[in-house]
Amino acid sequence: MRRNVFEITRLRMSGRIDEMLRYFAPDVIVRYHATKEGLFLPGVLHGREAFRENIRLTDVDYEPLGSEVLDILVDGSMTAVRWRNSWRHRNSGRTATMDMAHFLSWRNGMVVEVFEYLDYHGWNPFSDHELIERDEPRP
């Protein structure tokens, strides 16, 4: 599962969403617990297609730049991943880095439920020093 979590983050940030979604059950439930910058309020998505549309809408305005996985914990059919990623707003050129935590429930090798939490610590004018412009494995 650790390898799958790394692959999910890599595929997400490289824009290979269809490949990423093969790790998610068709009826996946995605729970957002923090406001997404200007796009989505906390809430729940039902199904892979709703998840795909959410990602598509995000990518209309934001270009993924790079990421690093900070921690992964596995406990039975549950995984937790804490990772940092950087984005560029397509219209303004403004860049930002944020920490994210995802808690994933797995069944039969597929994610069936996701809980997402965001930390916008880097979403400010002084965040350029935190920018990640490529995927970086962490030792």
Side-chain angles (χ1 to χ4, degrees):
M1 280 195 287
R2 288 178 52 85
R3 185 177 23 209
N4 289 350
V5 171
F6 273 106
E7 185 68 359
I8 287 168
T9 61
R10 186 183 69 77
L11 291 169
R12 168 61 187 109
M13 295 305 285
S14 66
R16 295 163 54 196
I17 306 311
D18 287 336
E19 290 178 62
M20 182 198 83
L21 288 173
R22 73 176 183 232
Y23 290 97
F24 294 84
D27 59 347
V28 66
I29 297 171
V30 182
R31 300 177 189 276
Y32 293 104
H33 291 280
T35 301
K36 295 188 83 171
E37 181 73 18
L39 292 174
F40 304 102
L41 297 176
V44 179
L45 297 175
H46 296 274
R48 193 172 13 198
E49 292 311 311
F51 190 26
R52 178 192 322 274
E53 179 63 8
N54 185 11
I55 293 169
R56 185 193 71 76
L57 290 172
T58 300
D59 288 356
V60 165
D61 288 328
Y62 296 93
E63 172 191 4
L65 299 176
S67 66
E68 65 178 329
V69 172
L70 303 172
D71 297 296
I72 296 178
L73 298 172
V74 177
D75 184 13
S77 64
M78 301 287 296
T79 58
V81 59
R82 187 173 66 94
W83 59 307
R84 181 168 293 141
N85 43 67
S86 294
W87 303 83
R88 178 179 293 116
H89 191 276
R90 294 185 190 276
N91 287 333
S92 70
R94 178 178 165 205
T95 59
T97 298
M98 66 179 73
D99 283 1
M100 300 178 80
H102 286 91
F103 299 87
L104 310 170
S105 297
W106 297 77
R107 186 176 59 236
N108 299 324
M110 300 186 90
V111 177
V112 294
E113 190 168 23
V114 178
F115 292 83
E116 178 183 273
Y117 296 86
L118 305 179
D119 180 354
Y120 290 105
H121 68 89
W123 208 260
N124 64 62
F126 307 105
S127 64
D128 284 344
H129 70 281
E130 297 175 338
L131 189 64
I132 303 167
E133 296 196 65
R134 66 188 186 296
D135 290 334
E136 297 178 1
R138 189 163 189 186

